[in-house]
Amino acid sequence: MGLSDFEASTAPRDVVRRQYLASAAGDLEALRATLAPDVEWTEMAGFPLAGTYRTPEGVTANVMERLGADWIDWTAHDDVYVVDGENVVVLARYTAANKATGEPIDVRVAHHFTVRGGLIVRFEQFVDTAKVRDAMS
């Protein structure tokens, strides 16, 4: 059975959308398949996971797996896509509840992806970090 057009597409928007779908499904293998071997994934300063992570395994271990450990139902809801060549900006929101406090979040976020050769080579997050930290204390 062949891949669907969407699954095989190297269009920047489709690659980024597959990343969100894999993340929402908790499919870290499929998520890693959207990332370049030398990906640079930056979580914003002030965010609990702040820093730049490299390699697909580094991204999933230091971001997605840690979010899953600390939050219940962490989800990035991708709402609006703005595409300019290899640049994809997604206006989204995070929803979750913190495991330690039970406090929920529903915060707006912007993600900037750079996609080359059908893979995400760079990611940068923009989010109201105070709202996330408030839910943790």
Side-chain angles (χ1 to χ4, degrees), residues 94-115:
Y94 293 146
T95 59
N98 185 263
K99 285 184 180 179
T101 66
E103 288 295 315
I105 61 164
D106 187 342
V107 297
R108 293 296 288 163
V109 59
H111 293 154
H112 174 210
F113 295 86
T114 305
V115 179

Side-chain angles (χ1 to χ4, degrees), residues 122-135:
R122 189 168 296 116
F123 166 88
E124 187 175 7
Q125 171 204 55
F126 302 89
V127 63
D128 184 342
T129 59
K131 287 188 177 185
V132 176
R133 288 194 172 278
D134 286 352

Side-chain angles (χ1 to χ4, degrees), residues 18 49 56 97:
R18 283 197 304 272
L49 308 177

